[in-house]
Structure formats: C-alpha cells, structure tokens
Amino acid sequence: MKRTTKISSAVIKRLPRYRRYLYELKRKGVEKISSKEFSEIIGYTASQIRQDLNNFGGFGQQGYGYSVEGLYNEISGILGLDKDYKMVLVGAGNLGTAIANYIASYKGGFEMCAAFDVKENLIGKKMNGYEILDNEDLVDYVEENKIDIGIICVNKENAQAVADRLTFAGVKGIWNFAPLDLEVPERVAVENVHLSDSLHSLAYHIKDIEKANSKKTK
Amino acid sequence: MKRTTKISSAVIKRLPRYRRYLYELKRKGVEKISSKEFSEIIGYTASQIRQDLNNFGGFGQQGYGYSVEGLYNEISGILGLDKDYKMVLVGAGNLGTAIANYIASYKGGFEMCAAFDVKENLIGKKMNGYEILDNEDLVDYVEENKIDIGIICVNKENAQAVADRLTFAGVKGIWNFAPLDLEVPERVAVENVHLSDSLHSLAYHIKDIEKANSKKTK
C-alpha cells in the first residue's frame, strides 16, 4: 500500500486512540463501522475521521464502512505494534513498580526484561518475578540483551545521566517519566509522561470552566 | 490585564512546559531572558515563543527580554496554580501509591486528603501518612470535605462508575489514569494520562526513525 511520506504529528497522536476504540469494538464482535457511527463513540467528527484515515490510503468503502479488524491491524502496523520490544526499567520505586505491573499486564509486544536501581536495599529483591539488578550493570545488560526501550522512573536529578547510559548502550527509544526534557541523539526516540504538565492542564481546565460558569450566572 | 477570550488548546498545552523551564531559570537565579535565549533552552522558535506569550497581552519589552519571575507568576495564574486544590485518590494499588507519593512531594497548591479502595486488605492501612478509606464512603467524604479533584487509579472496568460517583459528589476535575475516555458532564474537567497511548506513540517514533535510517543507508 502506498503511503504519503509525512504524516502530521497531530494525526499520529490520534492513532493510539483510534486503535483503542477499535480494540473495544473488536472485543464486542463489531465487524464493520461507518465513519458516522465511529464518530459518535470516539468523539471526533466523521469528516475528521475520514480525513485522518485517508492519510494511510483509506480503508473504507463508500456506503459500506470500515472493517474494524482490518483497520485495527493496519493502525497497529503503522504504529509499529506488529513488532516485539524488549524493555528495561530504571528506578524501582513506587512509580517504577506501577509501570512494571502495567507492562506485565499489557497484552502485546512489550516485554519487560529487567529492572535496575542504585539503592542497595532494593538490589537483589524481586519485582514482578524478576530480580532488581545493580544500576552499575545497566550498559552491559542492555548491550548483551539487545534491549529496545529504556523506561526512566528515577528523579529529575539523575534522569539525564540514565538517558546518556541507555543511549550509549544502544536503546532505540526512551519512555521518560522524569519531569525534564532529555537530550538524546536523533537516532533515539523519546516519549515523555510529564505528570506535572498534565496536572497543570487539569488546573487550567477547572479554572476555565469556573470562569465560563461565573459569566453565565452574571 | 486584558486577555483574549479564547486561547487555542495548542498554546494551553505548551504553558506547563514554559512554566517548568521558567521555574528552573528562577531556581538558578536568572532574572531576565530574551525570547532568543529562551528559544535555545526550551526548543521552540523565538517567534513561536513571542506569539504564544502575546496571547496573554505580552510580558516582554523590546530589547529587554522577559522577567523570569513575572512570567512564571503570570503563567501560574493563567493555569489556575495560584489556588489550592483538595484531592482524593481512588485505587490504592501501585500506581495509586506512586501518584500519592508524587502529590506528597509536589511543592504547590495540590493537597492529597484521602485515598479510597474497595479491597478489604487495604482499607484501614496507611498510605503516605493517611488512612486508606472504604470506597463506600467516597461520596460522603468528597461532599463533606469539599474536594476539588478526584484521581482515578482503578482499572478500566470500574473507572466510569468511580467517575460517576465523584461527579455526583461534586468534584470540579478528574485526573484519570484508567485507559478509557470518561463520560462526565461539561461542568467537570477531565485530564487523562493514557499510558498505552504514550507507549504506542513511542513505538511509532522508533519505527519512524528506523525507516528514515534505512532509507539513508540505501
């Protein structure tokens, strides 16, 4: 299938959401869906949906709708979810444990291989069935096991140093939970989960709704 | 100060990041910064920065730059971070505990008041110094203590029911970590942290970089 060379980042950001809804539809046994029906459950307009999906050559047929399974598989492929990824996690505190649990329960191609920490009271303990290893051995482990993704769950002060070592050891991507923007070479993909940014957006929206309501009652 | 009535959501999304960098500059004792200097550290273009900040009436002076503290305070105000927010958390597992730790360490106006769970082995135990309460008491607690924000750390199957009860009890906002899009009335703000969407974006970017590299070497 021919694809346009450059898809806008806004479309890319919406793809995981399309996939999530398609997964639910698939699970419920739905086989076909029109852009109008899809629009009602996902909350984008039907024209937005058609436009987004046309970026990939279009999978729908006029008057027939989209094949739920076909579209799900196609989007999975576009997202790179038809491959397997080996992961390590650095920082085995509460957040690290939560993320490791999340990956363990995730049904898909993401496999957690090991966790690392600097704290002596954690090293050697078990987390989700595998041992927590000494941070000193991170680079060797990543190289030897051809790890694809490093997950950073350490604090802000140590995150860049961990990123440097993961990058040196050859990971392809970093999933970063530390509250800073990492500097890495172009060959390494970074995806951030910045909790504070998300919390501040929430505060903004609360304020915005209150402002709108106070105007209405005036 | 006059403000335009409607600020685009793209600008709003960038504000927490501006604030985060301004906080670091403030901490380092920097008092003034030009849009060019700011551009170099934050990674947006100088013209993007000027355009974004002009939305709020503009705080810079030609040839003088922005006041770091002034801009930080102004953005904090716009984001609603000059107020205090009382929070409860529902779902006291690993992720819930991680988020509670995060809020406890957060220096700002967010106060965690209580955690709730349905599991009998968790109810009555301590988490970050306060007792984990019975989920049955959620609505009464939120009403009596005038809680502003509910944090949802339960699984996908129970998340909507928790959101319904938080909404009924009168929260203004929900910080949702469950992997689904909640249905709530317009008066309630929702901010999602969808881990799977973030992970899938990472997979896409890894694939995208690999594709670009394989083209280069051909």
Side-chain angles (χ1 to χ4, degrees), chain B residues 158-179:
Chain B
N158 297 312
Q160 183 61 52
V162 172
D164 291 345
R165 297 172 71 213
L166 287 167
T167 300
F168 176 78
V171 299
K172 295 170 183 168
I174 291 176
W175 202 18
N176 174 41
F177 288 81

Side-chain angles (χ1 to χ4, degrees), chain A residues 1 8 59 62-63 74 98-99 113 116 118 123 130 138 140 148 160-161 172 179 198 201 203 209:
Chain A
M1 184 181 291
S8 85
F59 317 102
Q62 196 76 38
E74 193 66 30
I99 302 304
C113 298
F116 292 84
V118 288
I123 295 166
Y130 44 74
L138 178 63
D140 287 347
D148 301 294
Q160 183 61 52
K172 296 171 183 168
S198 170
S201 287
I209 290 172

Side-chain angles (χ1 to χ4, degrees), chain A residues 21 77 94 101 106 181 200 207, chain B residues 77 94 101 106 181 200 207:
Chain A
Y21 276 87
N94 277 312
N101 283 347
Y106 183 91
D181 298 306
H200 297 168
K207 189 178 166 170
Chain B
N94 277 312
N101 283 347
Y106 182 91
D181 298 307
H200 297 167
K207 188 178 168 169

Side-chain angles (χ1 to χ4, degrees), chain A residues 19-21 24 77 79 94 101-102 106 156 172 175 181 191 194 196-198 200 204 207 210, chain B residues 19-21 24 77 79 94 101-102 106 156 172 175 181 191 194 196-198 200 204 207 210:
Chain A
R19 184 175 177 275
R20 186 151 45 83
Y21 276 87
E24 287 303 322
L79 287 172
N94 277 312
N101 283 347
Y102 168 75
Y106 183 91
K156 188 168 66 175
K172 296 171 183 168
W175 202 18
D181 298 306
E191 175 70 22
H194 283 329
S196 67
D197 288 10
S198 170
H200 297 168
Y204 173 80
K207 189 178 166 170
E210 283 186 334
Chain B
R19 184 176 178 275
R20 187 151 43 83
Y21 277 87
E24 287 302 323
L79 287 173
N94 277 312
N101 283 347
Y102 169 76
Y106 182 91
K156 186 167 70 175
K172 295 170 183 168
W175 202 18
D181 298 307
E191 175 71 21
H194 283 329
S196 67
D197 288 10
S198 172
H200 297 167
Y204 173 80
K207 188 178 168 169
E210 284 186 333

